[in-house]
Amino acid sequence: MTVYNFSAGPGVLPATVLDQIQTEMKSFNGSQMSILEISHRSKQYEEMELEAEKDFRDLMNIDDSYAVLFLHGGGTLQFTNIALNLTDKYHHVAYVDSGHWAQKAMEAAQKIDGLQVDRIGSSDNNLPKISAPDDDPLDYLHITTNNTIEGTTYHQIPNSTQPLVADMSSNIMAQPYDVNQFDLIYAGAQKNIGPAGMAVVIVKRDRLTSHPELSEIMDYWLEDQKHSALNTPPVFCIYAAGLVFKWLKKFGGVPAIYQQNLEQAKLLYDYVDNSKLFNNSVAKDERSLTNLVFGTGNKQLDQQFIADAADKGLVNLAGHRLVGGMRASLYNAMPTAGVKALINQMKQFEMNHGGF
Amino acid sequence: MTVYNFSAGPGVLPATVLDQIQTEMKSFNGSQMSILEISHRSKQYEEMELEAEKDFRDLMNIDDSYAVLFLHGGGTLQFTNIALNLTDKYHHVAYVDSGHWAQKAMEAAQKIDGLQVDRIGSSDNNLPKISAPDDDPLDYLHITTNNTIEGTTYHQIPNSTQPLVADMSSNIMAQPYDVNQFDLIYAGAQKNIGPAGMAVVIVKRDRLTSHPELSEIMDYWLEDQKHSALNTPPVFCIYAAGLVFKWLKKFGGVPAIYQQNLEQAKLLYDYVDNSKLFNNSVAKDERSLTNLVFGTGNKQLDQQFIADAADKGLVNLAGHRLVGGMRASLYNAMPTAGVKALINQMKQFEMNHGGF
């Protein structure tokens, strides 16, 4: 049975990447040592890390005025780190409240002594506007480009007079964004980048200054000086991410995968919009390409759909426990065959459960 | 050519563990999903994590009065976390200065506002005694059981009237220690536990209290409540560590590997002590079983030895840049054949370079 994994993360990875990891697990680059055994002070590691960084810069069009950091701690530690590293000037930031993870990011900032944290908008209805008053300078205005739980996305980022910081955890490299619009972008790896256990930070170098009061690995300036290897880095995650970057470059880069993501999302949203059983209540211009939420409006029916689908190899379709329903996460590595199989399953279920 | 990897970490892993990782890379536990794609909220993950924790508790004889945490951030973030989580009562700690990493741990604590940090002893000569004045209660007395760079170890831990915290990064599970002597033990994974990208923390539960002022993933109490899955955990590291634990249990546990480690270290130290070319200046009762340092006293000759050995597949023998010379890290996964091959190479080199 073919298994399609719709998990919101850790999620599906490209099959050819898994092939390569498997093939070279016992000898990385001819070394007769596993990538898991390679010293982070070795030439093999340094070359691997540099290449991963270069490929990532190519994919996202990142120039040298930005640092690219591969860090420990997932997105959650970065919630804290951005608020500690970027707030020296005004001690004032604002967070656009577009959903659960935006709130988590804001709550982490609220813990910082002496930092004023404003909340912009509310996630109760449509996505709040990305804007903050011009006359009150902020260290940054924080946004979450894609809301993993709610299934919403800011497809266009307006120019802001305030410096933008973006959590792109769940749609980095899924659609094109102009890095130059942001002072900082961060993302947990475990969705479109690679295995869990790493976060990627892209940050304007002119925003970085030494923070000797912080734990060394929380100081972005120092991590940039040390090329993300201040302490032993998450070597395997960087390696696997590097393979994903190479796979995506070969695929045609972000513009090409964006086309595929648009097509896949259209297939599923079109089906849902025409369904008599399933529905999606997100405004059309805010719908996520990576996390597609839908439901029948009936808890028991949702549970049954999720169980039936799992029996057919369509797994991890349960919505987040906070919102219920279903969620299909169509990250870059999801093949279109998986989306079609899901839609077939939905059609079958709709036939059997009286959507008409 | 057989390659033996003497890296101080990330270092050698058991061959059978690498075999298993390779074999099941594309289907974890029959799921037809890679371990890299498994959701940390899935049953598969939870079972895997529980089993890894259980095996680790068995190996180290850890009862339920201690939490076992698998955390992000390596040992370096724990330098900070221990000082933030365990100092509520006296705001006073002491660090035994037994070497470079002990100093790094101490420096992280010195950054904490309002925390008095005493330095005990000095790493300039023999290992300082593990003791602090009785009359002045400490939140903890910090020690480093094995000094990776200096090649020294506290083989016996004296009973202390002060609560002990130990960095065991480079000799955890290499020799038996009684967990009950410590309030907290921590270790970066990348030596005797598994791949880089994780730290393990063993901590007395009655020392933990909620720390809502901290970044959530730095709050040990909260991580214990959330079973180390407060945010997406380093899934692959936990999985690989679990395989290492199973391998070690099958080997006979810590007592059995300790015997092998003693034998391997004796082979190498005996050779060095009888050599006219190589020497080791560490006091015999302080010598490390995991990081064996030696040298010729001649920088150029050391370099040549390291290069010649690498040509023969004996790699990563350079000493730490701070001390120079050579270092053979004999972690649990190093086969005795590797130690014998190293000694043969040393004999050959001694013959060719006039040790007599």
Side-chain angles (χ1 to χ4, degrees):
Chain A
M1 183 171 68
T2 305
V3 168
Y4 293 109
N5 178 11
F6 295 94
S7 169
V12 59
L13 290 172
T16 56
V17 166
L18 296 174
D19 281 340
Q20 189 173 345
I21 293 173
Q22 182 174 50
T23 302
E24 63 193 23
M25 177 50 69
K26 290 164 73 178
S27 181
F28 171 68
N29 211 1
S31 66
Q32 297 203 54
M33 291 181 283
S34 172
I35 184 67
L36 309 178
E37 304 175 302
I38 295 284
S39 166
H40 62 300
R41 303 297 177 208
S42 68
K43 209 176 153 194
Q44 289 120 322
Y45 169 79
E46 282 170 13
E47 286 174 0
M48 179 276 285
E49 193 275 342
L50 277 174
E51 200 163 321
E53 182 186 325
K54 186 189 170 302
D55 286 335
F56 183 65
R57 284 182 182 273
D58 288 349
L59 286 165
M60 298 274 292
N61 291 316
I62 306 167
D63 68 32
D64 274 348
S65 65
Y66 287 83
V68 167
L69 308 175
F70 299 127
L71 301 178
H72 292 270
T76 300
L77 187 60
Q78 308 320 314
F79 290 163
T80 299
N81 288 353
I82 54 175
L84 288 169
N85 278 275
L86 295 190
T87 58
D88 294 329
K89 202 163 176 186
Y90 303 114
H91 311 286
H92 188 189
V93 296
Y95 281 70
V96 178
D97 178 4
S98 58
H100 176 75
W101 289 106
Q103 288 157 17
K104 294 290 282 182
M106 182 172 66
E107 285 161 19
Q110 284 166 337
K111 295 183 178 196
I112 312 296
D113 268 345
L115 182 62
Q116 183 184 337
V117 180
D118 296 344
R119 174 173 178 248
I120 306 273
S122 135
S123 55
D124 294 342
N125 294 298
N126 283 24
L127 284 175
K129 267 189 74 179
I130 299 174
S131 72
D134 292 351
D135 52 350
D136 198 1
L138 299 171
D139 290 305
Y140 60 77
L141 174 61
H142 181 283
I143 66 167
T144 308
T145 50
N146 184 79
N147 301 286
T148 325
I149 293 175
E150 296 80 3
T152 57
T153 296
Y154 288 105
H155 292 286
Q156 301 293 332
I157 307 295
N159 283 316
S160 169
T161 56
Q162 304 284 7
L164 287 179
V165 164
D167 178 357
M168 282 194 190
S169 290
S170 51
N171 76 335
I172 193 164
M173 300 189 298
Q175 59 192 86
Y177 286 109
D178 177 3
V179 169
N180 298 302
Q181 283 192 286
F182 302 90
D183 275 22
L184 186 148
I185 293 167
Y186 65 107
Q190 69 276 6
K191 296 163 196 287
N192 262 338
I193 293 174
M198 183 169 81
V200 173
V201 173
I202 306 161
V203 54
K204 260 192 187 162
R205 287 195 156 118
D206 67 13
R207 287 297 303 266
L208 298 182
T209 51
S210 171
H211 279 266
E213 80 283 6
L214 299 181
S215 179
E216 287 191 337
I217 75 164
M218 297 171 79
D219 179 345
Y220 288 151
W221 177 85
L222 194 55
E223 284 283 12
D224 185 30
Q225 297 297 309
K226 301 283 187 179
H227 226 88
S228 305
L230 179 139
N231 71 335
T232 313
V235 179
F236 178 76
C237 290
I238 298 172
Y239 155 78
L243 298 184
V244 172
F245 300 152
K246 286 226 180 292
W247 166 81
L248 186 50
K249 282 180 88 169
K250 205 170 161 187
F251 191 91
V254 176
I257 203 80
Y258 176 50
Q259 284 311 311
Q260 177 172 293
N261 290 339
L262 282 172
E263 284 158 25
Q264 290 183 357
K266 184 171 168 20
L267 285 174
L268 187 55
Y269 283 129
D270 279 355
Y271 174 71
V272 168
D273 287 340
N274 291 307
S275 165
K276 295 198 174 79
L277 182 63
F278 298 102
N279 60 75
N280 167 304
S281 58
V282 177
K284 288 194 179 178
D285 60 345
E286 295 183 355
R287 285 176 170 179
S288 173
L289 300 179
T290 44
N291 307 100
L292 290 71
V293 295
F294 56 95
T296 64
N298 176 322
K299 257 190 193 177
Q300 211 176 341
L301 216 52
D302 286 350
Q303 286 308 315
Q304 197 178 334
F305 175 78
I306 292 162
D308 288 0
D311 286 344
K312 302 272 176 63
L314 305 166
V315 301
N316 293 322
L317 279 163
H320 193 277
R321 63 193 143 75
L322 295 175
V323 294
M326 279 77 82
R327 171 174 55 181
S329 294
L330 308 184
Y331 293 127
N332 287 349
M334 175 59 69
T336 301
V339 184
K340 289 183 174 165
L342 170 61
I343 293 169
N344 283 337
Q345 177 65 19
M346 291 168 77
K347 282 182 185 164
Q348 192 66 50
F349 190 85
E350 186 163 347
M351 287 220 295
N352 296 342
H353 293 85
F356 47 92
Chain B
M1 183 172 67
T2 305
V3 168
Y4 293 108
N5 178 11
F6 296 94
S7 169
V12 59
L13 289 171
T16 57
V17 167
L18 296 174
D19 281 339
Q20 189 173 346
I21 293 174
Q22 183 175 48
T23 302
E24 63 192 22
M25 177 50 68
K26 289 164 76 177
S27 181
F28 171 69
N29 212 3
S31 66
Q32 296 204 56
M33 290 181 283
S34 172
I35 183 65
L36 309 179
E37 303 174 302
I38 296 284
S39 166
H40 62 300
R41 304 295 177 208
S42 68
K43 209 176 154 194
Q44 291 120 323
Y45 169 80
E46 282 170 13
E47 286 174 359
M48 179 278 285
E49 194 275 342
L50 277 174
E51 199 164 321
E53 183 186 324
K54 186 190 169 304
D55 287 335
F56 183 65
R57 284 183 182 273
D58 289 349
L59 285 166
M60 298 274 293
N61 291 315
I62 306 166
D63 68 32
D64 275 347
S65 65
Y66 287 82
V68 167
L69 309 174
F70 298 128
L71 301 178
H72 291 271
T76 300
L77 188 60
Q78 308 320 315
F79 290 163
T80 298
N81 288 354
I82 52 174
L84 289 169
N85 279 275
L86 297 189
T87 58
D88 293 330
K89 200 162 180 188
Y90 303 114
H91 310 287
H92 187 187
V93 295
Y95 281 70
V96 179
D97 178 5
S98 59
H100 175 76
W101 288 106
Q103 289 157 18
K104 293 291 281 182
M106 182 173 65
E107 285 162 16
Q110 285 166 338
K111 295 182 178 196
I112 311 296
D113 268 346
L115 182 62
Q116 183 183 337
V117 180
D118 297 343
R119 175 173 177 246
I120 306 273
S122 133
S123 56
D124 294 343
N125 295 298
N126 283 25
L127 283 176
K129 269 189 74 180
I130 299 174
S131 72
D134 292 352
D135 51 350
D136 198 1
L138 299 172
D139 290 304
Y140 60 78
L141 174 62
H142 181 282
I143 65 168
T144 308
T145 49
N146 184 79
N147 301 286
T148 325
I149 293 175
E150 296 80 1
T152 57
T153 296
Y154 288 104
H155 293 284
Q156 301 293 331
I157 307 295
N159 283 316
S160 169
T161 56
Q162 305 283 7
L164 287 179
V165 164
D167 178 357
M168 282 196 190
S169 290
S170 52
N171 77 334
I172 192 164
M173 300 192 296
Q175 59 192 85
Y177 286 109
D178 178 3
V179 169
N180 299 302
Q181 284 192 286
F182 302 90
D183 275 23
L184 186 148
I185 293 168
Y186 66 107
Q190 69 276 6
K191 297 165 196 288
N192 262 338
I193 294 173
M198 183 170 82
V200 173
V201 173
I202 306 160
V203 56
K204 260 192 188 161
R205 286 195 157 117
D206 67 14
R207 288 297 304 267
L208 298 183
T209 51
S210 170
H211 279 267
E213 78 283 7
L214 298 181
S215 179
E216 287 191 337
I217 74 164
M218 297 171 77
D219 179 345
Y220 287 152
W221 177 85
L222 193 56
E223 284 282 12
D224 185 29
Q225 297 298 308
K226 300 282 186 179
H227 226 88
S228 304
L230 180 138
N231 71 335
T232 313
V235 179
F236 178 76
C237 290
I238 297 173
Y239 155 77
L243 298 184
V244 172
F245 300 152
K246 287 228 178 291
W247 166 82
L248 186 51
K249 281 179 89 168
K250 204 170 163 188
F251 190 91
V254 176
I257 203 79
Y258 176 50
Q259 285 310 312
Q260 177 172 293
N261 289 339
L262 282 172
E263 284 158 25
Q264 290 183 358
K266 183 170 168 18
L267 285 175
L268 187 56
Y269 282 129
D270 280 355
Y271 174 71
V272 167
D273 287 341
N274 290 306
S275 164
K276 295 199 175 77
L277 182 63
F278 297 102
N279 59 75
N280 167 304
S281 59
V282 177
K284 287 193 179 180
D285 61 344
E286 296 183 354
R287 284 176 171 179
S288 172
L289 300 179
T290 43
N291 307 100
L292 291 72
V293 295
F294 56 94
T296 65
N298 176 323
K299 257 190 192 176
Q300 211 177 341
L301 216 53
D302 287 349
Q303 286 309 315
Q304 196 178 335
F305 174 78
I306 292 162
D308 287 1
D311 286 345
K312 302 273 176 62
L314 306 166
V315 301
N316 293 322
L317 279 163
H320 192 278
R321 62 193 145 73
L322 294 176
V323 295
M326 277 79 80
R327 172 173 54 181
S329 294
L330 308 184
Y331 293 126
N332 287 349
M334 174 60 67
T336 302
V339 184
K340 289 182 175 165
L342 171 60
I343 293 170
N344 283 338
Q345 178 65 19
M346 291 168 77
K347 283 182 184 163
Q348 192 66 49
F349 191 83
E350 186 163 347
M351 286 222 292
N352 295 344
H353 293 85
F356 46 91

